[in-house]
Structures are given as C-alpha cells and as structure tokens.
Amino acid sequence: MTATGGEAALFWVLAPLMVLAALGLLFVRRAVHAAMCLVFVMVSLAIMYIAQEAAFLGVVQVVVYTGAVMMLFLFVLMLVGVDASDSLTETIKGQRGIGLLLGLGLGIVLAGVVAQAAFPPAAGLGLANEVTNPVGLARILFGDYVLAMEAVGVLLVTAAMGALVLTHRRRLEPRRTQRTMAESRVRALPRGVSLTPQPTPGVYALNNAMDTPALDPAGEPVEASVPRVLRIRGQQRSVGALLESERATVEGE
Amino acid sequence: MDNVIGLAPWLVGFPLLGAAILLLGGKAADRWGHWLGVAASAASGVVGFILLAAMLGLPDDGRVLDHHLWTWLSAGGLDVDLGIRLDPLSVTFVMLVTFVGTLIHVYSVAYMAHDPHRRRFFAYLNLFVAAMLTLVLANSYLLLFVGWEGVGLASYLLIGFWDHERTNAVAAKKAFVMNRVGDMGLIAAMALMFATVGSVSFADVLPAAAGEAGPAGRLEPSTGTWTAIALLLLLAACGKSAQFPLQAWLGDAMAGPTPVSALIHAATMVTAGVYLMVRSATILEAAPTAQLVVVLVGGITLLFGAIVGCAKDDIKKALAASTMSQIGYMMLAAGLGPVGYAFAIFHLLTHGFFKAGLFLGAGSVMHGMDDNVDMRGYGGLSRFLPVTAVTMGLGWLAILGVPPFSGFWSKDRIIEAAFVGEGWQPWVFGTVTLVGAGITAFYMSRLFFMTFAGTRRWDDDHHPHESPFLMTAPMIVLAVGSVALGGLLAIGGTFTTWLEPVTGHVEHHEPVLPVWVITTLTLVLVLGGAALAFLQYAARRVPARAPHGSALTRAARRDLYQDPANEALVMLPGQVLTRTAVYADKAVVDGGWLGLAGSVTRAGDQIRKAQNGYARSYAAMTLAGVLVIAGVAGIAAAVTQ
Amino acid sequence: MEVTNYAVLASVLFAIGATTVLLRRNAIVVFMGVELMLNATNLAFVTFARLHGDLTGQVLAFFVMVVAAAEVVVGLAIIVTIFRTRRSASVDDVNLLKG
C-alpha cells in the first residue's frame, strides 16, 4: 500500500529531522540537550503512530514517554547536576572506532534486511480499526493477552517497590525531635548561649529593617537584636541617628 | 590340658595390657610403671610355665594343639583363623622369651633407673614381649607376620630409644628398613602359599608341603614353587636374624640401651628367623635347593660374624658380631634337615641364656665404666666387678663350648650334624663350623681378656664399681643357666625327644668322621683360639689405641665393608633410579602438565584483558556477536536459496 | 511512498541508539540510547501492524512501552544510587568487574 501524499510529506519532513535529533543524542555534549533531542524524536514518533492508524499508541507515546519517562530523565538530570557535561574524549582505547563501526554495520544490516525483504502488499488497518483503534486494541489486550497484562501490572508494582528500595537511605542517627533540640539548648547554657530566641530588631515609625537594634526598657539599644553578620560587617545603624531623623521629620510637618 | 589352654591368649594379653597401660598411663604411671612392666612379663611367664607343665602331662603324640580363638578374616577364598598353636617348639620359645625377658626387665629397673623415660622403655619392652609371643604362638603365617612386624616395631622403637642422638635414630631407621626387605619376602611367600595351597595356616600349608592334599584340593605345588616359597621365607629370616646379606643392621642396633641388645638383639627377636626356618621345616624339606642355600647363608654369616667379631674394640659390637655368627650356626643347622632342627633350637635356647648373660655383663661393665664401650680402655676389671667377671666368665666358657657348659652340648651337636651327609657337603660345612668354633673361641676370649684380665688401661676419671643387686641377680640366674641348662636338657636326649612332635623323629646318622674325632678337633681348636687370645691380650700389653693391623683386620673393623657394599650395590643404583624417576617426573610429567597449565594461564591472561570492566566494551562485544550471528544467518539464507 | 520507509527509519534510529550506548559515557545518556532503541522497535511494530492489518503489533508496542517505563524507574534508581555513593554518573567509573 502506498501512503497518501499527505503522509509522505509528513514522513519526509519528520524523518530527516528525527535522524538529526537522534544523532544529536550521539554528539551533543550536555545531557539536557540530549534529553531534549530525544523528546523531539519521541513526539515525532507519536505523530507517526497517529499517521499510521495507531491513534491510541500515539497518545500513550506522548503521555508515557514524553510525559513520564522523559520527565523522569530530566528529574534525575537535575538531581545529578544539569551542568554535568560529558567530555567527548574517549577513554577506552579503540572504543570509538569500534562503536561507530558496529553501529554503522548494524544500521546497514538492518536496513539491508528491510530493503531486501519482500513484503506483502500492505493490508491497512481499516478493518481492525472499524470499532475505533482503542477498542480494537482493548479487545486483543484483554482477550488474548490478559495474562501478560496482569504480569505487566505486577512488574510495574515491583519496579516501583524496587525504586523505593534502591533509593532508600538508612537513618544513621536518631531523629531530632522538639525535645532533643530543647535539651541540647539547655545543655548549651553554660557556654553562654541564650535559652530563648534572640530579641527581634527594633521597629520604628519610619524603619523596621534588620539593621536597627531594639530598645530595652531603659531606652538603650540592645546589641543582640541585630544579626551577628551585620554587626561583624559594621552595617548596623545607630539608634540615635535614627531617632534624630524621625524627630526632624515629625517636626518638619 | 583342656582346662588350661584357655590361658594361652593371656601369654600375649598380659604384656600387651602392660604396654597399653604404660603408654596411655602418662606421668601418673612413672612411679610404679617399671614394676608393672616386670609383673606383666612375669605373669606371662607364669602362664607359660603352667602350659609347659600341662603339656608335659600329655602323651608325646598329643602335644601339638591348635587353639582356635575366632575367625580373623574371611575374604574370597582366603579364610584366616586367629588361633594359637601350642606345641613343644612354641612352648620352648614362650619359656625362653618370658624367662629371659623377665630377667632383663628386672635388670632394666636398675639399669634405666636414672632415665627420665623409663616408663616408656618398659612399655616398649612389654610391647616387644607381646609381639614376640604372638610371633611364636601364631597358628598361621599371617598372624606370625603380625608378631613379626610387632617385634620389628619394638626393635625400631628401642634401638632409637635415645633418639636425641642422631646416630641412634639413623641406626633405628637402618634396622627398620633392612627388616622391611626381609618382610617383603614373607609377604611374597604368603602370597605364593595362598596362590598354590589356598591357605596360610600352618595346619594346611605344612602338610601340603609334605605331599598331602591341600584344603582347597588344588594341584600339588611343584618343587619349584616350594623352592620359591622357601627362599622367600629365607629372605625374611635373613632380615630378622641379621643373616647374610641382610646382616648390616645388627651392629648398628647396639645403639639401643644394653638390656635391649640383650633381649632383642641377642636372645629373642633375632632368633625369629631360626624359628621361622624350623617352623617351615616341611617346606624346606620339599625344596632341597633352598635347604642348601640356607646352609650356605648360615655358613657365610657364621664366618662373617666371627671375623668381624675378632676386630671390634667396641664390647657391644663384638657381642653383636658374635650373635650374628651364632645365629649363623643355628641357620646352618636348620638347613641341614631333620638332623639339625632340634640342635638349632637347642643352640638357640642355650645361646639365649649365655648371650643374654654376656650382654647384661657388658651392660654392667659399661655401668661401672661410665658408658665407655671401648675395650681398649678396660683391662683388669675383674678386681672391681667380681660378680660381673664371674658371670661373664661362665657365659664365655659356655659360648666357647667348653664341656660341661651349655654351649658344648648344643654347638658340638651342630658341628657333628654338619659332618653328616654324603659327597662334598659334610666336609665343607663341617670344616666351616669347626673353623668358626675356633674363631669364636679367639674373639670371645679376646673380649674377656681385654675386659677383665691384663693391666688397667683406664684413666683416673673412671671409678669402676660393681652394679646393684637388681642388675647382678639376673646375671647370676643367667650364668646358672649357661652352666647347667645344656647338660640338663641334652643328657639322655631330653630336649630332642621333647621337640620330636614338631621336628619328627630322627634316626641317628653317623658323621663322616667318628664323633670322638670331631669333639677332640673342636676342643683343640677352641683351646687353640683361647690360647692365642690369651697370649695376645692377657699376657702381652694391649695397646690403648688400635694398631694399624693387616688388611683383613682393617676390613673386619669396617664390618668387611658391608656398608660400602650395600651402598654401592643397592643404595647407589636405587638413588640413581629415584633421581632418574624424579627427573623424568619433573621433565616429562610435570613439564607436560605444567606446560599445558602454563599455556592455559597465558591464554587466560590474554582473554582476561577483554574483561576490562567497562560495560560499554561488553556492549560492543554483544553487538559484534549479534552482527556475526546475523551475518552467518544471512549467508546461510543466501546459500540455501 | 512505501510503508517500508518507516521500517528503514526504525532501523536507522535503532542503530543510532545502539551507537549511543557504545559511545556515550554518561549513564543517563546511555540510558536514553536504550530508550531510543526501544522506540525504534515500537515504530517497527506499528509499521508491521499496519502492513499486516493486525493490531497485535500495536499491542506488543504497548507492552514494550509499559516494560520500558518499569525499566526506566529501576534503571534511574540505580543511577541515582551509584551517583550518591560515587559522585559520578559515568559508566566507566563502575568497572569493579575488571578481570
């Protein structure tokens, strides 16, 4: 069966791009870029599935592969480090030549087989898809392949469990609870650590920034109310100057 | 008899039990262990005496008893019963072993008093007594072999008792290995017996040799077979009795404590070969050639030992050479046929007494001379060790064959028997025994005079003194035996009659010379030898260092080059053979396999490099494999189309 | 246009995926190569389903997707675990099986 003109156009537009994107997998340095190339190939494949009367698979391809699998890939890439770029210099002696040769050989053999084989005239899926493609698939899946379906379900659950087990981290020290934290603070008292939280910075009519100390009941500034870092850097404001400017503002009205 | 024969197993049982208790008892048994050893041996002797008394009460033709204990092994056509054979021959041995053995046990209590391992020594002595009794009481060659190996083991353990000295350990090993050569003969003989007669028990084999049908009803073995069996048995006897050509170990065996030399290497174990010959008399008679060989072996050893004995300055080695020579007499007698068996055993018995006495005397002298064994360092000791001198003197007179001492009654009969026969043989054998008697007189007198007569040659470091009562008492008892035993048993033919159930009745044969001529000649030669020794070693001053001497003397000092001969004839070819075998093993067998293994290793090393640990490499190989399979499949498809 | 063009495209994609597995060292990219190979087979399945007028090919492609999803979950978990202990995602760093 010969595809229609529209499909041919679609194929000839998509196929070279897909091969290019796939080659990108081979040659781009950054893993993220490779992932994006792969996403492009997968979406293109989804389109091709739909063009080939496999609407359900096309949708599943988008949902499962681009939606779930590739997201998982990207997620792991984020975890490992997006910037981790691959050095393309080869470490195993001769591996690059051998790999390219074998890949080329494989492509030639496979394409050769396909080109050599005598295919029957394409039957098309018009008859099979008469009840719509998902229903046709479902009849086969839950008819002939129901056991395989169940087994695959078990496989998915197992895989999920396996991932949990593999990435599980064993707790090496007791959990820090409110009580242990409180006890540690009490233990730290003799070293001059305050039991209570530090006093908050001062709040004034025109200013409530971190760099202004609070005033104690006697009207003196409290040193500890300004974060230590600011104090070390000498960035705290003096309370006197602040009060002076406030008074000037009030009086200026 | 029936009511006491049940005691027979206890003959072996007592000393075996004693050995077990002493060996397993540990230090706890140190204090009383030696007396337990004495008691075990004495108990065995009491049982032997009871059996002897019971046997004397039996009529002459009822004195051969097979006491079946239980079936030992039953394998295919071979059925061996474990049983005891009681007859005059075995009872004689039992009495000799237990009586002399017990005396030597008592002697050892004092002799080994200061040895830290005295308990072990007594355990080995008991083990030896048990093994020797097993040997003589066995009712089959197989059980005899057990005792045979047992005495070999005990001998090995006792020669090497002081194995902290390397030479002692080497001597023990030498004795053990040379005994093994003889044991091979016994094993081969048993195999031949089983193959031809179908049995190894005395009750089957000996009648078969006499021409009666065997139990398996097999074809009557030919004379050739009997000759082979007899010669193999002779090989065994040569090993155990230190006969030519397996005589080399006996001199070195003197490395053991002196009581061991007295008990094992003079009175009992070395006589096992003679016992085997007399026990197998019927087989020997079926093989005249073998008989002749036995006589020749006996004659050669007789002269060999006598010549070596003349040159030895070591008192124990001189006695060892004498033992070898005297056992040569017994072997010769055993080979003479029915005319000699009784005298072989008779001489064995008297020799057991006087040689044990002589050895114990030598031990006593060594005891008094701080373990110095060089007779050139003795001289004039009779004043310091009077009891030893008297007892040894009586033993000396006995071995010389001076009437009426024991040796006269036994040795003289052997010489007479050697002169019986036709053709050249009586003249040759008679002359050999006569000459041997003369030489014996010379070297034994030499030994006695060098030790007790003449002037003192020891320095002031030594303080000769008489041994304690526990040592002298056994010597006295043995001396009494040396004096009286021969006459007591010989007059009226008591002993020959007693042995008749075993050796058969012998008509009196006339020697080729009149008896009085032989006796006179013997006495003349003995007196001549003794006189010569007196002139040289008592009347004249004995040099403290051995003179250079003639070629024969030098050869005799070196045991007539027996060790170099053994080394050149046996050891060297053996070593060459083993070296060649080792070389062949290394070069061919090892080389082949190691080469194969090496090439596998090298190949593995090469293949290992492919396992570089890189998953991508493995993936590449997988892909290559896929491509190869695809290629092959494609070619196959193209070809089939 | 012949339907078999899809099959040729699938072959090319498969070969590129295999080469990726052989040449890239970043475990995640290697994994992407595996995914590309799986997708290429899926395309072949779909193509042959159409060629034979039989939906079974699509069913198989569906199964491949499910199994691939499970495989990705476990595979990525392994990569994360290795990365945690070795601070590296290079497949060449995991070569303890060296002979």
Side-chain angles (χ1 to χ4, degrees):
Chain A
M1 178 184 127
T2 319
T4 59
E7 196 189 338
L10 182 71
F11 180 84
W12 288 118
V13 170
L14 277 183
L17 289 175
M18 281 166 74
V19 172
L20 270 180
L23 287 174
L25 211 55
L26 259 179
F27 295 114
V28 298
R29 290 173 73 90
R30 287 198 169 191
V32 180
H33 295 169
M36 295 326 291
C37 290
L38 193 60
V39 167
F40 177 79
V41 174
M42 285 177 172
V43 172
S44 308
L45 276 174
I47 296 170
M48 281 191 174
Y49 290 168
I50 294 168
Q52 292 214 76
E53 300 171 79
F56 179 71
L57 278 186
V59 173
V60 170
Q61 171 83 3
V62 172
V63 171
V64 172
Y65 268 119
T66 43
V69 170
M70 285 321 293
M71 287 313 113
L72 206 53
F73 266 105
L74 288 171
F75 182 75
V76 170
L77 272 177
M78 301 302 158
L79 205 64
V80 168
V82 195
D83 292 337
S85 66
D86 220 1
S87 137
L88 286 180
T89 49
E90 186 54 61
T91 45
I92 309 175
K93 198 178 152 203
Q95 175 76 11
R96 176 169 292 183
I98 293 172
L100 282 176
L101 204 69
L102 286 175
L104 206 64
L106 185 69
I108 289 170
V109 166
L110 289 178
V113 167
V114 171
Q116 289 278 310
F119 291 104
L125 288 167
L127 202 64
N129 279 348
E130 206 166 22
V131 286
T132 71
N133 175 255
V135 174
L137 271 180
R139 285 196 174 143
I140 300 176
L141 259 182
F142 294 104
D144 296 347
Y145 291 95
V146 67
L147 266 181
M149 192 68 191
E150 295 295 333
V152 160
V154 174
L155 178 73
L156 278 177
V157 174
T158 315
M161 291 298 296
L164 282 178
V165 171
L166 278 171
T167 52
H168 176 72
R169 249 199 258 235
R170 179 172 294 196
R171 181 177 289 283
L172 295 174
E173 52 194 16
R175 180 191 290 275
R176 276 170 67 83
T177 58
Q178 287 280 7
R179 171 168 289 277
T180 55
M181 283 193 278
E183 280 166 357
S184 72
R185 293 184 80 138
V186 173
R187 269 200 300 278
L189 261 181
R191 296 203 304 269
V193 178
S194 164
L195 187 62
T196 55
Q198 299 292 328
T200 51
V203 178
Y204 300 88
L206 295 178
N207 187 303
N208 66 347
M210 297 285 278
D211 56 355
T212 43
L215 298 176
D216 65 0
E220 294 298 318
V222 180
E223 273 292 298
S225 63
V226 177
R228 198 168 54 93
V229 178
L230 295 182
R231 268 183 278 144
I232 291 170
R233 286 181 185 168
Q235 286 175 338
Q236 83 233 55
R237 290 195 207 183
S238 90
V239 179
L242 192 68
L243 291 177
E244 199 59 41
S245 69
E246 279 196 352
R247 189 175 299 127
T249 310
V250 170
E251 282 171 0
E253 279 182 356
Chain B
M1 191 72 199
D2 289 337
N3 48 353
V4 291
I5 199 164
L7 286 173
W10 283 106
L11 283 171
V12 179
F14 280 126
L16 200 60
L17 205 62
I21 292 173
L22 288 176
L23 281 179
L24 302 176
K27 288 207 170 73
D30 270 348
R31 284 180 53 204
W32 41 267
H34 42 287
W35 289 115
L36 178 76
V38 174
S41 177
S44 191
V46 169
V47 173
F49 193 76
I50 294 171
L51 289 172
L52 172 70
M55 185 163 280
L56 286 172
L58 291 175
D60 281 0
D61 52 354
R63 285 184 179 169
V64 177
L65 301 163
D66 260 326
H67 181 48
H68 172 76
L69 291 177
W70 60 79
T71 301
W72 183 11
L73 49 94
S74 175
L78 181 65
D79 291 295
V80 182
D81 284 349
L82 192 80
I84 286 176
R85 187 185 183 96
L86 279 174
D87 58 14
L89 181 60
S90 60
V91 170
T92 306
F93 263 90
V94 166
M95 291 317 294
L96 174 70
V97 172
T98 54
F99 188 75
V100 176
T102 307
L103 287 179
I104 290 173
H105 273 74
V106 173
Y107 179 90
S108 306
V109 170
Y111 189 84
M112 302 294 283
H114 303 299
D115 196 292
H117 302 295
R118 181 162 63 165
R119 175 176 55 82
R120 185 160 60 93
F121 182 79
F122 274 86
Y124 293 161
L125 276 189
N126 270 352
L127 181 68
F128 166 76
V129 170
M132 187 70 197
L133 291 173
T134 309
L135 195 161
V136 297
L137 286 169
N139 72 341
S140 68
Y141 282 99
L142 197 58
L143 187 56
L144 179 144
F145 186 68
V146 173
W148 192 267
E149 293 299 302
V151 296
L153 170 70
S155 162
Y156 166 78
L157 291 172
L158 285 166
I159 294 171
F161 186 73
W162 290 319
D163 55 6
H164 48 84
E165 297 246 358
R166 184 179 163 75
T167 47
N168 296 354
V170 170
K173 204 158 69 180
K174 183 175 179 184
F176 201 69
V177 170
M178 294 201 77
N179 266 294
R180 287 287 82 71
V181 178
D183 296 342
M184 279 306 299
L186 191 48
I187 293 174
M190 280 195 286
L192 258 179
M193 285 173 203
F194 175 62
T196 51
V197 183
S199 167
V200 291
S201 74
F202 296 147
D204 295 327
V205 176
L206 299 179
E212 296 165 27
R218 303 200 183 185
L219 290 175
E220 193 175 310
S222 63
T223 310
T225 312
W226 289 119
T227 307
I229 293 176
L231 287 177
L232 288 168
L233 289 176
L234 174 65
L235 180 65
C238 284
K240 198 57 86 192
S241 293
Q243 297 295 291
F244 183 82
L246 296 177
Q247 80 286 8
W249 65 269
L250 187 62
D252 291 352
M254 295 304 126
T258 309
V260 173
S261 308
L263 177 62
I264 299 184
H265 305 122
T268 54
M269 176 183 112
V270 289
T271 59
V274 182
Y275 169 80
L276 184 68
M277 288 295 103
V278 175
R279 178 58 85 195
S280 314
T282 342
I283 298 178
L284 284 179
E285 282 159 30
T289 320
Q291 262 184 318
L292 184 63
V293 176
V294 174
V295 176
L296 285 175
V297 165
I300 292 172
T301 316
L302 185 169
L303 290 177
F304 189 102
I307 293 170
V308 170
C310 292
K312 287 289 178 189
D313 290 332
D314 179 327
I315 185 168
K316 283 178 75 180
K317 294 216 165 160
L319 283 173
S322 154
T323 301
M324 198 189 292
S325 168
Q326 295 302 310
I327 294 170
Y329 270 105
M330 302 171 207
M331 290 296 269
L332 186 141
L336 289 174
V339 72
Y341 300 142
F343 302 128
I345 297 300
F346 189 28
H347 192 54
L348 192 157
L349 190 63
T350 55
H351 172 260
F353 274 81
F354 59 66
K355 187 51 71 63
L358 284 167
F359 260 113
L360 293 190
S364 175
V365 171
M366 285 161 61
H367 180 80
M369 293 293 288
D370 304 325
D371 286 337
N372 182 17
V373 290
D374 187 1
M375 291 191 290
R376 292 190 186 274
Y378 293 168
L381 285 174
S382 53
R383 277 190 297 136
F384 299 92
L385 300 102
V387 182
T388 309
V390 169
T391 52
M392 272 189 93
L394 293 174
W396 163 60
L397 291 173
I399 197 172
L400 255 55
V402 176
F405 295 95
S406 291
F408 168 76
W409 302 101
S410 52
K411 193 158 45 166
D412 203 50
R413 298 296 172 81
I414 291 180
I415 297 173
E416 268 176 43
F419 272 105
V420 172
E422 291 167 358
W424 57 273
Q425 293 170 2
W427 296 103
V428 173
F429 300 150
T431 313
V432 165
T433 51
L434 264 181
V435 171
I439 305 178
T440 305
F442 173 76
Y443 70 76
M444 283 312 297
S445 308
R446 172 178 178 270
L447 184 150
F448 186 76
F449 291 142
M450 278 178 92
T451 306
F452 293 107
T455 50
R456 62 171 269 185
R457 293 186 294 276
W458 71 88
D459 45 33
D460 293 332
D461 294 346
H462 296 295
H463 305 285
H465 55 273
E466 187 55 271
S467 302
F469 176 71
L470 274 180
M471 282 167 73
T472 50
M475 286 154 61
I476 294 166
V477 175
L478 288 170
V480 170
S482 314
V483 174
L485 190 69
L488 214 60
L489 294 178
I491 294 171
T494 316
F495 192 73
T496 39
T497 319
W498 156 250
L499 277 182
E500 258 175 28
V502 182
T503 58
H505 181 70
V506 189
E507 293 300 321
H508 183 67
H509 292 277
E510 266 318 304
V512 288
L513 287 172
V515 174
W516 66 267
V517 175
I518 296 173
T519 309
T520 315
L521 268 177
T522 313
L523 286 177
V524 167
L525 275 171
V526 165
L527 285 178
L532 199 63
F534 179 81
L535 287 177
Q536 199 170 346
Y537 295 102
R540 217 186 296 166
R541 196 178 153 71
V542 179
R545 291 190 56 189
H548 191 59
S550 66
L552 182 64
T553 314
R554 289 201 302 277
R557 267 188 209 134
R558 299 195 54 196
D559 301 306
L560 296 180
Y561 303 116
Q562 61 184 9
D563 290 335
N566 280 344
E567 278 166 22
L569 293 176
V570 182
M571 197 178 92
L572 216 60
Q575 280 177 343
V576 169
L577 183 69
T578 47
R579 282 208 193 107
T580 317
V582 166
Y583 177 77
D585 183 54
K586 271 194 184 142
V588 180
V589 181
D590 283 7
W593 290 112
L594 289 180
L596 188 63
S599 54
V600 170
T601 308
R602 280 191 293 281
D605 269 346
Q606 294 302 315
I607 296 171
R608 180 178 64 83
K609 285 179 185 159
Q611 300 287 326
N612 53 11
Y614 295 119
R616 294 189 295 140
S617 255
Y618 302 158
M621 285 175 203
T622 312
L623 189 52
V626 169
L627 281 183
V628 167
I629 291 173
V632 169
I635 290 168
V639 168
T640 47
Q641 268 175 5
Chain C
M1 191 198 80
E2 292 293 327
V3 176
T4 49
N5 284 358
Y6 285 111
V8 175
L9 177 63
S11 306
V12 171
L13 289 180
F14 189 90
I16 293 173
T19 316
T20 306
V21 172
L22 295 189
L23 293 188
R24 296 305 295 257
R25 270 174 298 161
N26 187 328
I28 299 169
V29 181
V30 169
F31 221 5
M32 288 181 197
V34 174
E35 292 304 315
L36 184 58
M37 289 158 79
L38 287 170
N39 273 294
T41 53
N42 275 355
L43 178 60
F45 272 130
V46 169
T47 306
F48 287 121
R50 187 181 181 199
L51 202 62
H52 292 287
D54 190 344
L55 279 178
T56 313
Q58 292 189 11
V59 169
L60 285 183
F62 174 76
F63 277 128
V64 169
M65 283 182 192
V66 179
V67 174
E71 173 231 337
V72 163
V73 168
V74 176
L76 287 177
I78 291 173
I79 289 173
V80 168
T81 312
I82 291 176
F83 183 78
R84 258 193 213 152
T85 52
R86 306 182 72 109
R87 312 307 302 171
S88 157
S90 167
V91 287
D92 288 356
D93 288 346
V94 190
N95 59 354
L96 291 178
L97 281 178
K98 186 152 63 183

